[in-house]
């Protein structure tokens, strides 16, 4: 029985370390290869020994697909390909291919240079890993091999984020990666056609949230930032360099312009300037409005936002600082946070989801006393959470399920409790099974793919011609012979099958004698038979031939004299095996005798 | 399958393919060479042009005075320029389902087709094709509309008059179908009917046909198209290049195994080597500027100009031209330069990797930054303040009939210090120059056409091996000017089928198979039997469902169960007429074994007689006779259904069913 098997190595009932194994039609595909921000030990990478204990992964995987450049989706890639060992193709979109190595290098620097970790992947490994990448266009059908094909759809989560359809024969799986169903200030909304996959694997970060309108959130955000700087406070906005950062920059830039504000806005690290360049060069991946106007005004050239220097953090007076990384787990954002946390005039705005174990997650869950490098830190600054991260909310997830019309749904990239709720909702609303495996747990789904066969046009047309035109679309019976030869399946008419195989048809014919009491001449008997059958069989073609015989369709009836009894005539009814039903019906009918001729 | 050929221009094709149940237009090229018969449209009043003498017929009849002007022995129509449209009468264009566009040069007739023929279908093109195509159309409309001309000449088109005119007016074809330029409104409406596609994207048309664009290597976003069903494949090759310039390389392997390959858009200058031409371009440019002259380069606002700018970027410093201003003048100059930088995914590998750094893929960004290249929407406005000579000007239109180029021809034509360098291959440069004669300025012809030449074509055809090649008739004979060059034509086996404007070709292939899906439940119920080693057969009796041109076989319904009247009626309505068909039989019956079987089943008193072709088995008791021959069996008996069925089943035991 064909089946699809799915095993999350990461992101099973969890957010972070996305890595999902899918087996479909005999092919093995790994979806994403992420790291976990909440861990610093072995658990930060997926456990690839699940795939194989020894030997290279290349032998066990047909391809790897990376949905977007966030580290929880690609952070383990160099470790996977260079340290564990994988030489097969890695597919991602062009922007992801451009930006991914930069974030990996950034991640490596923090881990090795700042935290002094040994046995981490090197810069060269990142380069070697990226050489294995094959870039894909949106909607391009990429033939991984003769049977396996993949296709990318726009996901709208960050620049270059994509959903992927994986297809073998008539079986298919769609993996959403992270996606966003509402267009924002710089990206468009995710879109997929009604591709009816056997399985949809969707993220479920905001499985239980239904967010208010984007406009309200933006107004709220601007109000909070404005109030804080008005009273002389400093605003820290931890972000990842690419993605939300650009959206919020566009938002603040236009607000500053409109309100004519002079308070400085800074953006930390050199990465951002580079990041904005990527947005300019990959502008075809942004939303309609930005694409349309870019010739005259490029939205990614900011006037009010300047580069941040670490010394600025101690400057007096109000300011707004965007700093990386977004979950306050390391780097510059964490440094600035420690400097400003003690002052109640200041504010930190967390614009996205924070993984368990990060400082961001701690302060969002209300913790105000933190232990950091052996010292107590009391958080007096205001902590605000604004959901700007570009994940679909419950409504959006349902919308996507409705768009793609999958036969089953599988949830990843979310918290178990919330998934449970969404699972019920999906099962109720769409009447499809929904699964939510934990990491290392395998879901096996039987499929029943139909079998494609070549049908000879002659046979198909003959069958179609049997039905008059207005009803041509109605189902009808088809009879033929399936020839199976070297894995090649052809359905042809039986005649053609015999001919192709050089076999002669064997004709089986029956002739039955029906005795009738009739004193008239044979010709007259035949005529009586003819008029009788003509009146009884209105739907059939009954003919009286010049030689005196009668035909009903292809069945031949002849009248002969009885050799012994002149008062009896013998009807010889003759038909082939293929007309058996009609033939035996006719003999039974004639046996009952003919109606008396009107005198 | 048929091909309707609506355009006779080999590089600006417009064909309609009828394939299965679909009608597909392949490209929508607009033949603009017709404009060469018209007088240029000057941006600034030109006394020279307005004082050209009128031309009158030999008999002195002067009624054409207002329409025709003479310049250095050539006659021109003094009117709004007109374009030669594709044939619109050969096929009802409202029946076209889709239009496939291969590159931005081949979509210029789109508004005429989509806005004026009742067309209701979809147009497919890549994003760069649409964006740059829009720029070309915008430029064209702008060039024509900003110099309104009151006169629209039509008398000369009268057949009886046209034949009295001098060449080339006399020989101009289809003049009655020539039309004025469309409006921006029509352009926008036409472009709104386009659906964007990516390379190697499979697009289903009505479930019957699948179309796929492939990179053709000629221009940004340029594509060849595969049109295929499950068993037939047509490749449409239009404007392809194997040279490494800026676009993504041509995808050749996907063209393999075509039944028919339609080949259009080969190089128009088969004898010129594009690399050599670029070298000549640079050296002539440098020479003129060093001597204090100006250089005029008539060009389109996108395409080869990117490559020329890139060459100059590498060349100007070494040639000591760094102080010479380069001007690019077009209403869409800025847009074209900006757009070129954002299509990284459509560029060759080298340029793509620059974007990953991230740097702009084309070096003209740096030329602009360093003020070496400046761009203006027209000669009016800022340009007139910044204008310094000697300089190099890139501007349109290459026909020299409209656009800012007309102004520079008038301005610089009288000095032999200046040079006009022709790089675009679409127009004969001598004809383009005719209304400006006599000219003192130097004219250099360096046509750069990167499209396939005949050597490359023959290599390509050898590699992809199509069963049949279809091409414009121009490609099946040497060019008229070089009739001895037998190498300048397509050479393939079987010989290419050629077409000309307004012809309909029946394409030589016969469809024999269609795809059908057997549902798993039906597949499980099939009983295959091995007939010969490696060949198995199974008889299939199933219900055929056809929806959206897809065929599915499902198991036949179980025999209707006798249920209450009402319910049964509903069932029979849904179920097709399912009288089980009897299979065909094959095999032969061995008489001895057959007789033994009869005996085993209780028949006695059996007699066998030999006949010429076989045997007769007599069952005397039952008054039954069975004729057995190699390929037939005939049972002749009394009307005893039980007996007949028993005998039938015994016979069938020896035969195979199909």
């Amino acid at each position: 029985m064909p089946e699809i098997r799915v095993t999350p190595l990461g992101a099973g009932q969890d957010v972070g370390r996305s890595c999902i194994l899918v087996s479909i039609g005999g092919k093995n595909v790994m979806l994403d290869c992420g790291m976990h921000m909440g861990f610093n030990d072995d658990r930060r990478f997926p456990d690839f020994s699940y795939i194989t204990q020894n030997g290279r992964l290349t032998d066990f995987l047909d391809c790897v697909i990376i949905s977007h450049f966030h580290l929880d989706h690609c952070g383990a890639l160099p470790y996977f390909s260079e340290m564990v060992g994988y030489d097969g193709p890695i597919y991602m979109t062009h922007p992801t291919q451009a930006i991914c190595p930069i974030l990996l290098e950034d991640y490596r620097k923090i881990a090795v240079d700042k935290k002094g970790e040994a046995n981490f992947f090197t810069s060269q490994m990142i380069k070697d890993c990226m050489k294995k990448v094959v870039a894909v266009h949106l909607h391009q059908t990429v033939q991984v091999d003769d049977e396996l094909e993949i296709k990318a759809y726009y996901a709208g989560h960050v620049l270059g984020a994509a959903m992927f359809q994986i297809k073998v024969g008539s079986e298919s799986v769609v993996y959403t990666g992270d996606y966003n169903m509402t267009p924002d200030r710089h990206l468009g909304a995710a879109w997929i056609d009604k591709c009816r996959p056997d399985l949809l694997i969707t993220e479920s970060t905001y499985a239980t949230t239904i967010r208010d309108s984007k406009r309200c959130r933006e107004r709220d955000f601007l109000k909070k930032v404005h109030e804080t700087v008005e009273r002389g406070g400093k605003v820290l906005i931890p972000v990842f360099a690419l993605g939300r950062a650009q959206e919020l920059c566009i938002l603040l830039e236009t607000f500053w312009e409109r309100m004519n504000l002079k308070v400085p806005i800074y953006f930390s690290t050199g990465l951002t300037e580079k990041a904005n360049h990527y947005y300019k060069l990959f502008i075809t991946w942004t939303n309609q409005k930005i694409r349309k106007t870019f010739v005259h005004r490029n939205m990614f050239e900011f006037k009010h936002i300047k580069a941040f220097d670490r010394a600025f953090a101690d400057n007096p007076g109000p300011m707004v600082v965007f700093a990386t990384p977004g979950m306050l787990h390391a780097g510059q954002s964490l440094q600035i946070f420690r400097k400003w946390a003690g002052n109640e005039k200041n504010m930190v705005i967390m614009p996205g989801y924070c993984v368990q174990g990060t400082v961001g997650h701690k302060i969002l869950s209300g913790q105000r006393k933190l232990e950091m490098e052996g010292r107590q830190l009391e958080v007096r600054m205001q902590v605000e959470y604004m959901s700007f991260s570009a994940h679909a909310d419950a409504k959006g997830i349902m919308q996507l399920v409705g768009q793609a019309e999958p036969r089953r749904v599988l949830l990843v990239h979310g918290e178990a409790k919330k998934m449970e709720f969404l699972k019920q909702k999906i099962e109720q609303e769409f009447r499809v099974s929904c699964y939510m495996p934990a990491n290392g747990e395998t879901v096996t789904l039987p499929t029943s793919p139909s079998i494609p066969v070549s049908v000879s046009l002659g046979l198909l047309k003959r069958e179609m011609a049997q039905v008059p035109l207005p009803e041509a679309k109605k189902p009808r019976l088809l009879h033929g012979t399936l020839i199976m030869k070297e894995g090649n399946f052809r359905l042809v008419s039986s005649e053609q099958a015999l001919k192709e195989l050089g076999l002669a048809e064997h004709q089986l014919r029956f002739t039955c004698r029906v005795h009738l009491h009739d004193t008239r001449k044979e010709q007259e008997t035949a005529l009586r038979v003819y008029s009788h059958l003509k009146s009884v069989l209105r739907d059939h073609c009954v003919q009286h031939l010049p030689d005196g015989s009668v035909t009903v369709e292809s069945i031949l009836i002849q009248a002969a004299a009885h050799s012994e009894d002149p008062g009896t005539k013998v009807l010889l009814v003759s038909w082939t095996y293929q007309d058996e039903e009609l033939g035996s019906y006719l003999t039974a009918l004639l046996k009952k005798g003919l109606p008396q001729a009107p005198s | 399958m048929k091909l309707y050929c609506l355009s006779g221009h080999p590089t600006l094709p417009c064909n309609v393919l009828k394939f299965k149940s679909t009608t597909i237009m392949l490209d929508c090229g607009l033949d603009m060479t017709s404009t060469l018969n018209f007088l240029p449209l000057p941006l600034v009043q030109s006394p020279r042009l307005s004082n050209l003498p009128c031309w009158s017929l030999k008999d002195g009849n002067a009624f054409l005075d207002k329409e025709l002007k003479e310049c250095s022995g050539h006659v021109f129509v003094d009117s709004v320029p007109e374009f030669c449209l594709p044939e619109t009468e050969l096929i009802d264009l409202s029946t076209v389902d889709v239009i496939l566009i291969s590159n931005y040069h081949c979509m210029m007739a789109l508004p005429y087709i989509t806005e004026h023929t009742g067309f209701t279908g979809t147009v497919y093109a890549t994003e760069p094709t649409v964006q740059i195509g829009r720029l070309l159309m915008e430029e064209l409309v702008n060039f024509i509309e900003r110099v309104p001309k009151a006169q629209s000449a039509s008398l000369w088109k009268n057949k009886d008059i046209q034949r009295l005119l001098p060449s080339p007016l006399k020989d101009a074809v289809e003049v009655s179908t020539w039309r004025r330029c469309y409006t921006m409104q029509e352009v926008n409406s036409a472009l709104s009917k386009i659906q964007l596609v990516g390379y190697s994207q499979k697009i289903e048309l009505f479930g019957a046909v699948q179309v796929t664009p492939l990179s053709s290597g000629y221009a940004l976003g340029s594509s060849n198209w595969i049109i295929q069903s499950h068993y037939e494949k047509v490749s449409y090759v239009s404007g392809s290049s194997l040279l490494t310039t800026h676009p993504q390389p041509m995808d050749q392997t996907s063209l393999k195994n075509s039944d028919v390959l339609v080949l259009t858009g080969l190089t128009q200058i088969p004898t010129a080597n594009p690399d050599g031409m670029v070298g000549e371009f640079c050296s002539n440019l440098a020479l003129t500027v060093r001597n204090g002259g100006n250089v005029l380069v008539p060009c389109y606002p996108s395409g080869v100009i990117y490559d020329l700018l890139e060459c100059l970027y590498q060349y100007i410093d070494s040639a000591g031209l760094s102080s010479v201003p380069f001007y690019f003048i077009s209403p869409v100059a800025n847009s074209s330069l900006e757009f070129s930088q954002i299509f990284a995914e459509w560029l060759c590998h080298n340029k793509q990797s620059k974007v990953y750094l991230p740097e702009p893929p084309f070096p003209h960004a740096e030329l602009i930054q360093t003020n070496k290249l400046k761009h203006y929407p027209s000669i009016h406005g800022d340009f007139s303040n910044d204008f310094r000579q000697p300089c190099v000007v890139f501007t349109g239109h290459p026909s020299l009939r409209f656009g800012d180029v007309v102004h520079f021809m008038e301005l610089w034509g009288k000095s032999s210090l200046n040079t006009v360098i022709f790089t675009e291959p679409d127009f004969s440069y001598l004809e383009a120059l005719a209304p400006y004669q006599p000219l003192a300025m130097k004219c250099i012809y360096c046509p750069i056409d990167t499209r396939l030449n005949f050597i490359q074509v023959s290599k390509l055809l050898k590699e992809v091996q199509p069963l049949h090649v279809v091409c414009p008739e121009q490609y099946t004979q040497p060019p008229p000017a070089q009739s001895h060059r037998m190498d300048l034509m397509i050479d393939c086996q079987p010989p290419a089928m050629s077409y000309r404007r307004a012809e309909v070709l029946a394409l030589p292939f016969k469809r024999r198979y269609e795809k059908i899906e057997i549902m798993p439940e039906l597949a499980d119920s099939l009983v295959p039997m091995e007939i010969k080693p490696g060949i198995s057969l199974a008889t299939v009796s199933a219900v055929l469902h056809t929806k959206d041109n897809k065929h599915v076989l499902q198991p036949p319904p179980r025999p209707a169960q006798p249920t209450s009247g009402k319910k049964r009626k509903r069932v029979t309505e849904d179920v097709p007429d399912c009288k089980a068909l009897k299979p065909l039989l094959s095999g032969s019956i061995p008489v001895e074994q057959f007789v033994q079987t009869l005996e085993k089943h209780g028949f006695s008193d059996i007699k066998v007689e030999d006949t010429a072709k076989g045997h007769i088995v007599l069952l005397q008791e039952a008054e039954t006779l069975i004729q057995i021959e190699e390929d037939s069996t005939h049972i002749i008996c009394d009307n005893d259904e039980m007996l007949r069925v028993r005998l039938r089943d015994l016979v069938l035991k020896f035969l195979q069913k199909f």
Side-chain angles (χ1 to χ4, degrees), chain B residues 314-502:
Chain B
Q314 291 155 359
Y315 182 73
I316 43 182
D317 286 328
S318 63
L321 301 175
S322 29
S323 59
V324 178
F326 286 76
Y327 300 119
F328 176 19
I329 303 171
S330 160
V332 298
N334 185 26
S335 298
S336 165
L337 294 171
E338 289 285 343
F339 268 113
S340 66
Q341 306 287 20
I342 67 159
F343 290 127
E345 288 162 72
W346 307 88
L347 293 172
C348 62
H349 184 73
N350 264 343
K351 298 226 173 303
Q352 244 173 43
S353 22
K354 284 188 99 177
V355 175
Y356 289 0
L357 292 177
E359 276 171 23
F362 285 99
H364 54 239
E366 201 185 316
L367 288 177
I368 295 168
Q369 230 170 30
T370 52
N371 258 333
K372 284 177 183 151
L373 174 68
K374 293 186 176 187
H375 54 83
Y376 303 88
S378 87
I379 52 166
H380 301 299
D382 290 346
F383 175 71
S384 36
N385 303 328
D386 299 353
F387 185 40
R388 275 194 297 123
Q389 304 191 66
C391 64
V392 179
V393 170
F394 293 88
T395 189
H397 186 273
S399 65
L400 305 192
R401 291 303 177 272
F402 37 80
D404 301 90
V405 74
V406 175
H407 175 74
F408 289 101
M409 283 304 296
E410 293 289 329
L411 186 70
W412 292 341
K414 290 167 213 81
S415 163
S416 60
L417 280 179
N418 303 324
T419 307
V420 53
I421 310 182
F422 291 88
T423 56
E424 302 285 358
D426 286 356
F427 300 92
S428 142
Y429 81 106
L430 289 174
E431 283 183 52
L433 287 171
Y436 299 96
Q437 299 293 1
L439 267 179
M441 105 195 270
K442 277 200 289 291
C443 303
I444 306 288
Y445 184 54
C446 303
I448 297 167
D449 196 332
T450 58
R451 286 173 283 205
L452 297 177
N453 62 35
F454 289 99
I455 297 167
Q456 292 165 328
V457 165
S458 89
K459 223 176 122 195
L460 175 77
L461 292 180
K462 266 193 199 111
E463 208 157 300
V464 304
Q465 301 226 321
L467 290 184
H468 301 278
V469 175
V470 174
C471 66
E473 62 172 351
Q474 290 91 333
Y475 296 160
T476 56
Q477 60 219 25
Q482 291 146 302
S483 54
H484 61 289
R485 292 287 300 267
M486 298 306 282
D487 57 327
L488 300 184
M489 57 183 272
I490 290 179
D491 178 28
C492 65
Q493 276 311 324
M497 299 175 66
S498 70
Y499 68 79
R500 61 172 73 178
R501 188 178 167 110

Side-chain angles (χ1 to χ4, degrees), chain A residues 285 450 454 476 511 580, chain B residues 231 345 517 544 623 634 648:
Chain A
W285 284 80
S450 56
S454 306
R476 58 208 165 267
T511 301
E580 193 177 29
Chain B
Y231 301 96
E345 288 162 72
E517 300 261 339
L544 170 67
E623 286 189 57
H634 194 166
R648 177 197 71 189

Side-chain angles (χ1 to χ4, degrees), chain A residues 406-423:
Chain A
R407 294 198 177 86
R408 296 128 175 154
V409 178
L410 187 145
L411 303 178
V412 293
H413 202 282
E415 292 160 27
K417 252 194 228 150
K418 296 181 181 174
M419 279 184 177
E420 198 69 62
F421 173 83
L422 184 66
K423 171 174 144 67

Side-chain angles (χ1 to χ4, degrees), chain A residues 79 90 98 115 274 305 384 398 499 543 559 573:
Chain A
Y79 169 75
I90 302 170
K115 296 190 187 154
K274 222 171 169 185
I305 301 168
E384 292 289 343
M398 299 300 277
K499 210 169 132 194
Q543 281 180 301
V573 185

Side-chain angles (χ1 to χ4, degrees), chain B residues 487-552:
Chain B
D487 57 327
L488 300 184
M489 57 183 272
I490 290 179
D491 178 28
C492 65
Q493 276 311 324
M497 299 175 66
S498 70
Y499 68 79
R500 61 172 73 178
R501 188 178 167 110
E503 251 181 11
V504 182
L505 290 190
L507 297 183
F509 70 73
K510 204 170 147 33
R511 295 179 47 222
R512 291 171 56 204
Y513 286 101
E514 181 64 90
K515 192 179 144 186
I516 200 165
E517 300 261 339
I518 296 189
M519 295 307 282
E521 308 86 69
L522 175 63
D524 287 346
S525 72
L526 296 180
V527 190
M529 56 180 177
E530 192 162 25
I531 295 289
K532 291 178 180 176
I535 303 178
S536 299
L537 295 186
T539 49
V540 179
S541 270
V543 179
L544 170 67
H545 291 261
T546 299
K547 198 183 164 194
D548 299 336
N549 287 312
K550 299 236 184 283
H551 311 289
V552 174

